[in-house]
Amino acid sequence: MNNMDSNIKRIHKYNYIVLLVLLSMLLPLLVNAQNKQKPMTIEDQGSFAVGGSVIQNAGTFNPITRTPEGQTLHGDHAYVFYQIPANSKKLPLVFWHGIGQFSKTWETTPDGREGFQNIFLRKSFSTYLIDQPRRGNAGRSTVDAKVNATPDEMEWFSTFRVGVWPEYFEGVQFAKDPETLNQYFRQMTPNIGSFDTDVIVDATSALFNKIGDGILVTHSHAGGFGWQTAIKNNHVKAIASYEPGSGFPFPEGEVPSAIPSSAGALSANSITMDEFMKLTKIPIVIYYGDYIPTERVENPGIDGWRVRLEMARKWRDTVNKYGGDVTVVHLPEIGIHGNTHFPFSDLNNIEIANLLEQWLNEKELIK
């Protein structure tokens, strides 16, 4: 009898193990099936270069000697990939990456979910993804450049507020598996040549001349270039800016003092009142994520965001004083916690996208 009981127990244990193995094999399939999105219809998609310049060397090109004489160089353009869904909204969204990034910013998230590109296509917005001049797919520069292969990713981990290497922030909206971090670091790309505001803004303005009215969505370093683009081109009908870090333009005589931080002092820009008033004619919303200190901290990568948020609020108040419509949203203050410098690709990016859609609705920009 005891042997029989023992055998039955072994059989039950074996069946239990087999069941666990089967569940472990089926679970990913079940999760994938649950996460599988409905198909969407894209009526048109493609890519093009826009803006830029041409260097023309004097002389006559000789196909045998192949010297630079008589040859051209087309460079400093932006690269744009676009998709237009069926029954699209009237105003497209133009997505512009931040520093060290390219259009990948808006595509699949580092942990493999849909990014803002697909999320807003499913909401029937046409999407245009920019690679700004001298970056990513727009790497043909008209100036000499040198790329230094300097390891720097632990620094970006802090500056992008995922945590303080090697620790993640508690509650951060970022998947902590090694492959997500691998993908995150690999979406960085170098600048091929120096930053030239005129070159960058001219190319993006040329994009709006080509596509007409649209809504500009910027991230980080593109924030400052975005204000300049809106001043230059009245086809920019609204701006949503995620964590702009520099280039806040104030009217002459009203530029605030630089704000010191452990990352250095943050200065604002001066523009004419005529230029400034153009920014009062369109609705603008600015979003900042979590883990931004309220007082100076030693870590420069993190402390820099304290003064950027403070400068954004000064800028909002000045624009609104002249009749503008700027809103600054610090996500923790409305109960959304754990966001990094990339709210649109964080684990709660659907919630972040819905927040933007709500603002677009409030401003009657969805038609």
Side-chain angles (χ1 to χ4, degrees):
M1 191 67 178
N2 288 338
N3 286 338
M4 184 177 292
D5 286 345
S6 179
N7 288 336
I8 290 173
K9 287 181 178 178
R10 278 199 296 271
I11 290 171
H12 283 176
K13 184 177 180 181
Y14 172 79
N15 288 340
Y16 179 69
I17 292 172
V18 169
L19 180 62
L20 286 178
V21 171
L22 287 173
L23 283 175
S24 68
M25 295 172 64
L26 289 173
L27 188 58
L29 297 176
L30 292 172
V31 170
N32 285 338
Q34 189 176 27
N35 292 336
K36 190 174 181 180
Q37 298 277 8
K38 292 181 180 178
M40 55 182 164
T41 302
I42 303 297
E43 284 189 346
D44 190 18
Q45 69 176 20
S47 62
F48 55 84
V50 67
S53 57
V54 179
I55 295 176
Q56 172 74 60
N57 252 355
T60 302
F61 175 62
N62 184 325
I64 306 303
T65 59
R66 296 186 295 181
T67 62
E69 281 75 16
Q71 298 211 54
T72 61
L73 187 161
H74 290 65
D76 287 352
H77 48 267
Y79 170 87
V80 179
F81 176 72
Y82 69 92
Q83 290 179 295
I84 300 174
N87 303 313
S88 61
K89 310 290 187 189
K90 182 179 178 181
L91 295 178
L93 298 178
V94 176
F95 292 103
W96 195 346
H97 57 79
I99 197 166
Q101 305 287 312
F102 64 118
S103 49
K104 178 69 176 71
T105 291
W106 309 102
E107 298 173 353
T108 305
T109 65
D111 55 280
R113 294 169 298 107
E114 288 192 334
F116 264 29
Q117 177 190 25
N118 279 9
I119 290 172
F120 278 96
L121 282 171
R122 293 189 185 282
K123 295 177 182 289
S124 300
F125 285 90
S126 299
T127 62
Y128 291 77
L129 274 59
I130 298 175
D131 282 5
Q132 73 184 34
R134 304 177 184 173
R135 190 78 63 78
N137 287 327
R140 182 72 157 165
S141 174
T142 65
V143 298
D144 293 337
K146 179 182 179 183
V147 176
N148 296 315
T150 303
D152 58 2
E153 292 166 348
M154 281 68 256
E155 178 182 338
W156 289 117
F157 187 87
S158 287
T159 301
F160 291 163
R161 303 197 320 281
V162 180
V164 177
W165 185 266
E167 302 296 330
Y168 291 83
F169 284 132
E170 184 177 354
V172 68
Q173 298 276 0
F174 190 94
K176 298 176 183 176
D177 60 281
E179 179 55 18
T180 293
L181 194 59
N182 176 51
Q183 293 290 326
Y184 188 66
F185 286 147
R186 292 185 186 282
Q187 72 182 31
M188 296 197 72
T189 193
N191 221 39
I192 310 299
S194 58
F195 286 105
D196 186 319
T197 299
D198 289 338
V199 166
I200 294 170
V201 170
D202 286 351
T204 308
S205 180
L207 169 61
F208 277 93
N209 285 338
K210 181 180 178 70
I211 67 174
D213 294 348
I215 300 161
L216 184 58
V217 184
T218 64
H219 178 223
S220 193
H221 201 209
F225 300 138
W227 319 135
Q228 294 299 321
T229 304
I231 290 170
K232 189 179 184 70
N233 197 312
N234 60 16
H235 285 303
V236 179
K237 295 303 180 186
I239 296 179
S241 186
Y242 289 92
E243 303 219 340
S246 59
F248 290 98
F250 288 78
E252 291 170 331
E254 297 188 41
V255 179
S257 300
I259 308 174
S261 79
S262 59
L266 176 65
S267 300
N269 295 344
S270 174
I271 58 176
T272 68
M273 181 57 83
D274 286 344
E275 292 173 323
F276 180 81
M277 288 304 293
K278 293 179 181 179
L279 294 171
T280 68
K281 309 303 181 187
I282 59 172
I284 296 171
V285 64
I286 298 172
Y287 298 102
Y288 285 94
D290 209 341
Y291 312 111
I292 297 176
T294 56
E295 297 180 354
R296 183 184 177 110
V297 297
E298 184 180 12
N299 187 313
I302 294 172
D303 197 47
W305 294 107
R306 174 181 58 83
V307 296
R308 290 165 188 140
L309 175 56
E310 182 178 341
M311 187 66 82
R313 286 169 167 158
K314 289 178 181 289
W315 186 69
R316 170 202 60 193
D317 293 344
T318 306
V319 176
N320 291 349
K321 183 178 72 174
Y322 286 98
D325 181 8
V326 176
T327 303
V328 175
V329 180
H330 186 202
L331 293 173
E333 294 177 0
I334 61 170
I336 300 177
H337 299 277
N339 284 106
T340 72
H341 182 49
F342 292 70
F344 43 81
S345 62
D346 284 340
L347 292 173
N348 62 341
N349 66 342
I350 296 290
E351 183 179 21
I352 301 300
N354 289 341
L355 195 65
L356 174 57
E357 184 182 29
Q358 179 184 336
W359 179 80
L360 293 172
N361 257 320
E362 290 171 358
K363 300 304 174 185
E364 300 182 345
L365 293 164
I366 300 179
K367 300 174 182 175

